[in-house]
Amino acid sequence: MTSKHDKWIVVLLILFIVVGLTAVYSSTSVISPDVVEKYKKKGVEISQFFYLKRQLFTLFLGMFTLLAAYKLPTHMLKKLSIPLLIFSMVCLLLVFSPLGVSAGGARRWLRLWPSVFQPSELVKLCMVIFLAWYLSLSSYNKEKFSSFIIPIGVMGVFQIVFLKQPDFGAVMSLGMLTLFMLFLSGTRLRYVFSLGIVAVPVIIKLIMEPYRWKRVVTFLDPWKDAQGSGFQLVQSFIALGSGGATGVGLGESRQKLAFLPEVHTDFIFSLIGEELGFAGASLVVFLFLLLFLRGMRVANRAADNFSYYLAFGISIMIAVQAIINFSVVTGMVPTKGLPLPFVSYGGSSLIINMTAIGLLLSVSRGQKRQTPVAALSPVNEDMDSGSIVSRSDIAKNKVMQMTMSDVKSKKMSSKQRHSWQYGQPASRPRIIWKAGLVQLPKRNSPGDKR
Amino acid sequence: MKKRAVIISTVVIFGFFIVLLRMVDIMLVNHDRFMAKAQFQQVRKKAVPVKRGIIYDRKGRELAINLDTESIFCDPSEIVSPERAAAVLSRTMNAEPRAYLAKLAGEGRFNWLERKQSPDLGSRINNLKLRGIGTITEPKRSYPKGRLASQILGFVDIDNNGIEGIERQYNKYLEAQPEHVKVHRDARGNMLSDGMMKELKGSNIILTIDEGLQYILEKNLHEAMQHWKAASATAIIMSPATGEILAMSSMPDYDPNDPSGSKPEHRRSRSLTDIYEPGSTFKIIAGVAALEEKVFSPSAKFDCSSGSIELGDKKIKDAHKHGVLSFKEVIQKSSNVGTIKIALKLGKDKMYDYIKMFGFGEKTGIDMAGEVSGILRPLSRWSGLSIGSISIGQEVGVTPLQVLRAYAAIANGGYLITPHVISEIRTPEGGLLHKTVPQAERIISESTAETFKNILKTVTEEGGTALEAAVDGNSVAGKTGTAQIIDPRTKRYSREKYVSSFVGFVPADKPRLAMIVVIHEPKGKIYGGAVAGPVFRKTSNEALSYLSVPRDDMQEKGLLLISTTDKR
């Protein structure tokens, strides 16, 4: 039995959105009179629904990008991987142009009417798409150092820009994301270790910068300067700690009353902990764990290597961001400007993560429900990564429609270009194509795979 | 699943697990610790404003009320630049910056800057929006009638603790037990709950004082003070039947709204805290005792023609030579010789008993603080001269209130009453906490009282000592008193310093008011009839018309009384 897409992921997404909207409303509905006054001077009438309305609008946009990503054919996405990467780089660099907006000593945002956009969120997703594409190339050789150093180099370029902004949180999540994906691709461990050895002096140098060093010291003992640099972390502890087992009650948070800075964005998990206690907060953690596990399942059932890496990368991206956010809020990692996916107030993160979910759902589309993982394992070395039509597509009879209309013109030329670019014989796809066309009923049965 | 995928999944799951462990540590293990820290910063204990009970006169007119004022405080820990804050504040409040600098820069989390300022100033301070500086609404005691009844009411300190008078004596009723409410605040110090809307109120006190009578009394007393250039003057109006003090004052007085700088003796109710030698007003004791003990009949004759009487080695004189006087005339003309003769016949045991019986030498039991019992030597310490001196009001120390009470006993038909100023104490909701029940104790027979009242009536009539005390249209029963003051330096009676007094009640036959007027050290005239008598007359005239008491001569003068009483 097949299904359209993974319903569990949809359910989880809806749950996240419900939790997120509730938390955003709770954290932004009580506004201090002097803040209202401040906004009034800027000509903005701020109400208890001000942030909620904006978040709902973002959510609306996110629905579109989710659907677009869901509908986008895989081959299109593959083709877009390099342009998207370049686009994200341009966006990232634009931060330093007059379009850039700086806040709190960091240039991380682009002015984008009516709000601001954080390119680092886009970069992460584009990096995932790029890596999925790159790692699924037939020319990718996990044994070769050159195959390792190219993605690392791409990452390095982004990292330099991130450090310039500076956005240490993005550095951390992008680094972890890239390494996880390379590790997964089977790259030699000694490459990773040698990279680590090279990175040590760089990291030490970065940390020795006064403001960062101060941040590390603060992180080690926030109580030492509870009114100054340790303030935010201390307030986060107080929020979580006062929540206890069952919390102070929904909407009853006291820490949101200007005690905890960034309570609606990076520290929204503290608010959830305070209002709903350990019970509610751990539930949110479990939701992220569930999403990750579900994403892994989708990855493992992916039709091809690209989809496999894409699904895996997206799952890792969301999970890593969530874990870093949790760690920041609970004082296990020095404070970073990293939102909690789906939950934190903020347009860029929500739109990007919803787009990512769209891609994940796209991968999950047509996967069989009870297929043994091993039987369908797409991580088959000799599997044709250039295939445009996945097995699931074939299984869903979609191939028929596609062949009739598109294949002759579009798909064929794509294949030709593919073989021209990477020098891979285009015979296999063609065979599959034919097989798909001719032997459709046969290939529909499980175990039919090579 | 590939091995590496399993490894990564395990790492990520482990990451989530670490997060959960950390959450257990913060949220469950250390919950109490962080809860305490949360409470510390989120909750402020706020004192609920305590409004003192209101003091009313007998007709419900407010004598002591509360005004809302703003007190300005600072939290030095939140002030970044004390110098700047001091400069801004001093400009707003027209004061030296130095006055605030120490408080703004000090230790701790709370300092008063200014207390009980106008609400206007408070809102101006709040509009400055200075961090660490705020205002608290504090009720301030106010006495809307100014000096009126100030010695009875007393006053309070800056923290609303009663310092004098009723305010002090009944502090525990007037104040409410201070309470604290927990108020949640945000990080900017804005209070969230309306805990401050709550207010505690003390119990209200209803006095027996009548504001109108008090005003009349004070006005006339003040005039007399000026007219006679007296050192001080004291007067009381009391209801002779019940002992309710209707008005009581001493001059000079003070302003309870600004008690600083006033002399302590101006603040106390000298009617009950200061003693004097009563002089002739004390003669009624011997007279009443003689009638009650039937030692003399009212028609008994006394030869006072010598104008003096010798007691031991001392000679006591009359002010004027009188010749032969009847018992009645001894009192009417205030003959020392006659009174001493009565006392001698009565004997010192009886004399002492009656003095005690009339309440001298002990407190009257009035419900006000600071009352003294006066000086009455025990019988064992009386000299041979004592019976004579005491019978004419020397060698004894009395308070004006004690004297008034003795006269009230004659007015009310022989009862010694307990004077009081508190009528009722009620909770803010109106529940009755205390009601003073008039207490009376019979000391002399009604007939004696009646007989003696008629004698006292002659004092203000032709041949009496106090024609100046006669009240228009109403008969007065009373007695003058003129006593020398013992000079503290020479320990002898001064020739210049006198205490002139008049005590009596009107209308004599149906007494509504008993009044004593005591004027210390009048200049010009010294006799009680001439000095205190006019004060008594004027005050009585005004008081009786204020109370709409019908005139005794209403019918003979053909006056029509129009009743203004509502027919409900």
Side-chain angles (χ1 to χ4, degrees):
Chain A
M1 188 190 164
T2 62
S3 109
K4 212 175 160 199
H5 49 66
D6 193 311
K7 292 211 172 54
W8 274 101
I9 292 178
V10 177
V11 170
L12 284 169
L13 178 67
I14 291 169
L15 284 176
F16 277 126
I17 285 168
V18 168
V19 169
L21 289 179
T22 311
V24 164
Y25 179 65
S26 172
S27 62
T28 56
S29 53
V30 184
I31 310 158
S32 168
D34 30 305
V35 172
V36 176
E37 198 76 6
K38 206 172 90 186
Y39 274 84
K40 218 169 195 171
K41 276 180 193 156
K42 290 185 191 168
V44 181
E45 201 72 40
I46 199 161
S47 77
Q48 57 168 328
F49 299 113
F50 180 77
Y51 288 94
L52 185 68
K53 276 181 190 163
R54 295 177 70 127
Q55 188 75 345
L56 280 169
F57 178 71
T58 314
L59 195 66
F60 187 67
L61 288 182
M63 290 291 185
F64 274 101
T65 59
L66 185 147
L67 281 174
Y70 179 67
K71 294 282 183 199
L72 188 73
T74 314
H75 68 273
M76 286 287 286
L77 185 65
K78 264 190 201 169
K79 276 194 283 182
L80 281 173
S81 63
I82 293 277
L84 275 173
L85 193 70
I86 293 167
F87 174 69
S88 70
M89 184 48 133
V90 171
C91 284
L92 195 60
L93 289 172
L94 275 176
V95 163
F96 297 100
S97 78
L99 279 172
V101 178
S102 65
R107 296 184 76 88
R108 293 176 191 168
W109 299 273
L110 273 185
R111 198 181 305 281
L112 193 73
W113 190 91
S115 187
V116 288
F117 179 70
Q118 197 171 359
S120 62
E121 297 290 335
L122 179 68
V123 167
K124 279 177 230 164
L125 183 59
C126 291
M127 191 70 183
V128 168
I129 298 168
F130 165 74
L131 283 172
W133 168 78
Y134 181 80
L135 297 177
S136 61
L137 284 179
S138 60
S139 61
Y140 176 75
N141 187 341
K142 62 181 183 181
E143 304 291 331
K144 268 167 73 179
F145 185 69
S146 59
S147 292
F148 172 75
I149 205 69
I150 288 170
I152 289 295
V154 171
M155 178 194 81
V157 173
F158 282 108
Q159 299 291 44
I160 288 167
V161 184
F162 283 152
L163 286 174
K164 279 282 168 208
Q165 283 185 332
D167 189 347
F168 216 56
V171 172
M172 192 185 262
S173 53
L174 188 71
M176 283 176 77
L177 180 65
T178 311
L179 287 178
F180 272 140
M181 285 186 76
L182 285 172
F183 178 79
L184 183 78
S185 77
T187 197
R188 289 272 173 107
L189 284 178
R190 64 164 179 264
Y191 298 155
V192 181
F193 289 131
S194 58
L195 180 76
I197 290 163
V198 173
V200 165
V202 178
I203 291 168
I204 287 174
K205 192 193 172 299
L206 290 174
I207 286 176
M208 291 316 272
E209 266 191 46
Y211 91 95
R212 268 193 208 108
W213 180 243
K214 195 178 166 194
R215 193 177 267 183
V216 170
V217 170
T218 296
F219 158 69
L220 293 174
D221 186 9
W223 302 99
K224 205 172 172 184
D225 189 12
Q227 287 300 314
S229 52
F231 183 77
Q232 193 170 26
L233 196 50
V234 163
Q235 294 301 327
S236 176
F237 283 149
I238 290 176
L240 288 168
S242 61
T246 51
V248 296
L250 192 60
E252 292 293 313
S253 164
R254 301 289 172 195
Q255 286 296 97
K256 70 188 180 189
L257 304 169
F259 285 106
L260 181 54
E262 300 298 328
V263 65
H264 61 304
T265 58
D266 298 351
F267 281 79
I268 200 151
F269 188 66
S270 307
L271 175 114
I272 294 173
E274 187 188 1
E275 293 194 344
L276 302 176
F278 183 78
S282 59
L283 196 69
V284 172
V285 175
F286 272 113
L287 287 182
F288 275 104
L289 181 60
L290 276 179
L291 183 68
F292 173 71
L293 293 176
R294 205 67 202 174
M296 293 301 279
R297 198 182 118 105
V298 168
N300 282 325
R301 291 160 183 237
D304 53 56
N305 275 358
F306 175 74
S307 300
Y308 171 72
Y309 285 120
L310 186 66
F312 191 91
I314 286 167
S315 307
I316 284 287
M317 177 181 87
I318 294 172
V320 162
Q321 284 196 83
I323 289 175
I324 293 179
N325 183 276
F326 293 147
S327 306
V328 167
V329 164
T330 55
M332 296 192 290
V333 169
T335 318
K336 303 279 156 316
L338 205 70
L340 185 61
F342 309 112
V343 181
S344 285
Y345 172 81
S348 321
S349 168
L350 185 60
I351 289 177
I352 295 298
N353 284 311
M354 285 184 76
T355 311
I357 291 293
L359 293 174
L360 193 59
L361 288 173
S362 167
V363 172
S364 77
R365 180 165 42 189
Q367 283 180 354
K368 290 189 178 179
R369 267 210 183 145
Q370 277 138 3
T371 318
V373 172
L376 273 180
S377 175
V379 195
N380 202 325
E381 296 309 325
D382 58 353
M383 181 187 166
D384 179 22
S385 54
S387 168
I388 306 151
V389 183
S390 68
R391 285 159 300 157
S392 44
D393 282 338
I394 296 162
K396 284 194 68 194
N397 294 348
K398 275 205 171 167
V399 173
M400 291 299 275
Q401 301 158 13
M402 287 167 97
T403 41
M404 294 307 166
S405 54
D406 311 327
V407 170
K408 268 174 217 157
S409 54
K410 209 155 99 194
K411 299 284 155 66
M412 291 306 269
S413 63
S414 143
K415 264 179 285 166
Q416 281 160 354
R417 187 164 67 244
H418 191 269
S419 55
W420 165 78
Q421 264 183 318
Y422 306 106
Q424 194 199 17
S427 56
R428 272 187 196 276
R430 201 166 291 144
I431 292 165
I432 292 176
W433 266 117
K434 283 177 181 166
L437 280 172
V438 179
Q439 302 175 335
L440 195 61
K442 240 195 264 175
R443 292 199 67 96
N444 203 15
S445 59
D448 162 71
K449 196 182 161 284
R450 277 169 304 228
Chain B
M1 222 157 118
K2 269 182 63 179
K3 201 172 106 194
R4 288 197 168 181
V6 174
I7 291 172
I8 290 175
S9 302
T10 312
V11 167
V12 170
I13 292 167
F14 186 70
F16 280 116
F17 182 66
I18 294 286
V19 167
L20 282 174
L21 275 186
R22 179 72 172 169
M23 279 163 59
V24 168
D25 176 45
I26 296 174
M27 301 179 74
L28 301 179
V29 178
N30 285 306
H31 168 62
D32 293 340
R33 182 176 147 229
F34 288 119
M35 197 66 191
K37 286 190 183 291
Q39 292 286 317
F40 178 77
Q41 69 177 20
Q42 295 165 355
V43 179
R44 284 282 170 271
K45 260 183 152 185
K46 279 275 178 183
V48 176
V50 177
K51 288 201 167 167
R52 282 180 83 79
I54 294 169
I55 304 178
Y56 297 100
D57 87 336
R58 64 186 297 121
K59 291 185 177 152
R61 290 170 289 208
E62 291 166 335
L63 298 177
I65 58 168
N66 301 294
L67 295 180
D68 276 348
T69 58
E70 294 293 317
S71 289
I72 301 148
F73 69 92
C74 65
D75 179 351
S77 70
E78 287 192 14
I79 292 167
V80 185
S81 164
E83 289 78 16
R84 210 182 65 82
V88 176
L89 278 176
S90 58
R91 221 177 306 135
T92 314
M93 299 202 269
N94 290 325
E96 281 284 303
R98 235 176 320 119
Y100 304 119
L101 198 53
K103 289 171 177 173
L104 290 166
E107 291 289 308
R109 299 209 61 175
F110 189 90
N111 278 331
W112 287 119
L113 291 174
E114 290 284 349
R115 292 198 54 190
K116 306 200 173 176
Q117 302 294 313
S118 68
D120 174 56
L121 183 69
S123 63
R124 268 190 289 153
I125 293 289
N126 282 329
N127 286 339
L128 292 175
K129 294 204 186 297
L130 290 170
R131 192 174 160 82
I133 289 168
T135 61
I136 294 174
T137 304
E138 275 196 302
K140 181 189 179 184
R141 199 58 156 171
S142 174
Y143 305 93
K145 311 288 157 57
R147 292 168 172 258
L148 192 88
S150 55
Q151 291 137 348
I152 300 168
L153 297 173
F155 59 94
V156 297
D157 66 5
I158 192 80
D159 292 314
N160 275 357
N161 297 310
I163 296 296
E164 286 274 5
I166 297 291
E167 294 275 30
R168 178 177 176 174
Q169 171 94 347
Y170 292 89
N171 198 46
K172 69 170 198 267
Y173 288 104
L174 288 166
E175 72 176 8
Q177 278 307 306
E179 266 183 35
H180 285 87
V181 285
K182 285 182 174 179
V183 186
H184 282 277
R185 57 162 232 159
D186 72 5
R188 295 185 179 84
N190 299 315
M191 296 300 161
L192 298 171
S193 75
D194 53 358
M196 302 303 286
M197 300 302 282
K198 192 183 167 191
E199 62 180 22
L200 293 169
K201 286 180 178 170
S203 298
N204 300 328
I205 291 182
I206 297 119
L207 300 180
T208 59
I209 301 293
D210 185 305
E211 186 192 311
L213 293 178
Q214 181 76 22
Y215 170 74
I216 292 167
L217 183 72
E218 288 191 17
K219 187 192 74 176
N220 288 310
L221 205 55
H222 184 69
E223 276 174 13
M225 271 282 288
Q226 296 202 312
H227 186 261
W228 299 110
K229 298 185 177 62
S232 64
T234 298
I236 311 167
I237 302 177
M238 184 168 77
S239 163
T242 61
E244 292 169 300
I245 305 287
L246 301 174
M248 180 162 74
S249 180
S250 293
M251 292 289 161
D253 58 359
Y254 75 106
D255 182 0
N257 288 313
D258 181 22
S260 60
S262 61
K263 291 182 179 168
E265 63 262 34
H266 297 170
R267 298 177 188 165
R268 54 178 194 249
S269 287
R270 303 178 73 179
S271 311
L272 44 120
T273 61
D274 287 20
I275 56 169
Y276 71 111
E277 283 198 351
S280 306
T281 52
F282 208 67
K283 286 173 183 165
I284 62 158
I285 308 297
V288 169
L291 287 181
E292 182 75 3
E293 296 293 321
K294 299 189 170 36
V295 176
F296 290 108
S297 77
S299 53
K301 300 285 182 196
F302 299 89
D303 180 11
C304 305
S305 53
S306 63
S308 66
I309 186 166
E310 280 185 45
L311 270 170
D313 55 351
K314 217 177 165 200
K315 199 186 246 181
I316 295 174
K317 287 183 189 171
D318 268 340
H320 314 281
K321 287 190 179 179
H322 296 296
V324 176
L325 297 173
S326 70
F327 184 92
K328 190 174 93 178
E329 285 167 330
V330 168
I331 301 299
Q332 184 195 18
K333 299 188 187 301
S334 198
S335 164
N336 290 340
V337 178
T339 310
I340 291 168
K341 284 183 172 173
I342 294 168
L344 286 172
K345 184 81 187 287
L346 192 65
K348 62 180 189 178
D349 288 326
K350 282 271 183 304
M351 187 68 204
Y352 183 78
D353 287 348
Y354 273 85
I355 294 170
K356 291 293 276 185
M357 203 187 282
F358 272 94
F360 293 99
E362 55 193 50
K363 295 176 181 178
T364 64
I366 189 172
D367 43 6
M368 285 183 74
E371 190 187 13
V372 295
S373 45
I375 299 166
L376 173 65
R377 275 193 233 150
L379 210 47
S380 55
R381 289 180 56 206
W382 283 24
S383 68
L385 187 66
S386 290
I387 186 159
S389 303
I390 289 169
S391 67
I392 60 167
Q394 294 179 351
E395 277 189 35
V396 286
V398 300
T399 64
L401 186 65
Q402 286 174 329
V403 176
L404 183 65
R405 183 162 77 143
Y407 278 79
I410 293 162
N412 65 27
Y415 293 95
L416 190 71
I417 42 82
T418 305
H420 58 274
V421 292
I422 305 290
S423 172
E424 289 174 2
I425 301 176
R426 286 184 180 273
T427 63
E429 295 77 32
L432 191 63
L433 289 179
H434 167 86
K435 187 172 174 67
T436 306
V437 181
Q439 289 180 358
E441 180 197 349
R442 176 166 288 286
I443 51 169
I444 52 170
S445 68
E446 200 167 348
S447 64
T448 305
E450 183 64 29
T451 310
F452 210 84
K453 176 164 61 183
N454 288 326
I455 295 172
L456 288 176
K457 275 159 81 171
T458 62
V459 170
T460 57
E461 289 165 1
E462 200 59 46
T465 55
L467 293 174
E468 297 93 333
V471 171
D472 296 345
N474 285 104
S475 57
V476 173
K479 181 77 193 75
T480 57
T482 311
Q484 287 165 292
I485 294 176
I486 296 176
D487 193 315
R489 277 183 301 119
T490 59
K491 307 271 182 195
R492 283 161 173 263
Y493 283 111
S494 161
R495 286 183 181 278
E496 293 94 37
K497 295 181 176 174
Y498 291 86
V499 178
S500 307
S501 58
F502 187 89
V503 54
F505 45 90
V506 279
D509 295 319
K510 280 181 180 172
R512 289 286 299 272
L513 306 172
M515 189 193 317
I516 182 167
V517 178
V518 182
I519 297 186
H520 292 257
E521 300 175 36
K523 309 290 181 315
K525 289 186 180 173
I526 57 164
Y527 289 111
V531 175
V535 181
F536 184 95
R537 188 192 69 235
K538 280 178 76 180
T539 309
S540 296
N541 271 342
E542 292 170 23
L544 291 174
S545 31
Y546 169 78
L547 294 172
S548 308
V549 174
R551 290 167 66 118
D552 290 344
D553 58 357
M554 196 169 58
Q555 279 180 329
E556 49 193 273
K557 294 219 170 168
L559 295 174
L560 182 68
L561 182 77
I562 297 166
S563 172
T564 54
T565 316
D566 287 359
K567 284 180 182 141
R568 283 181 202 172

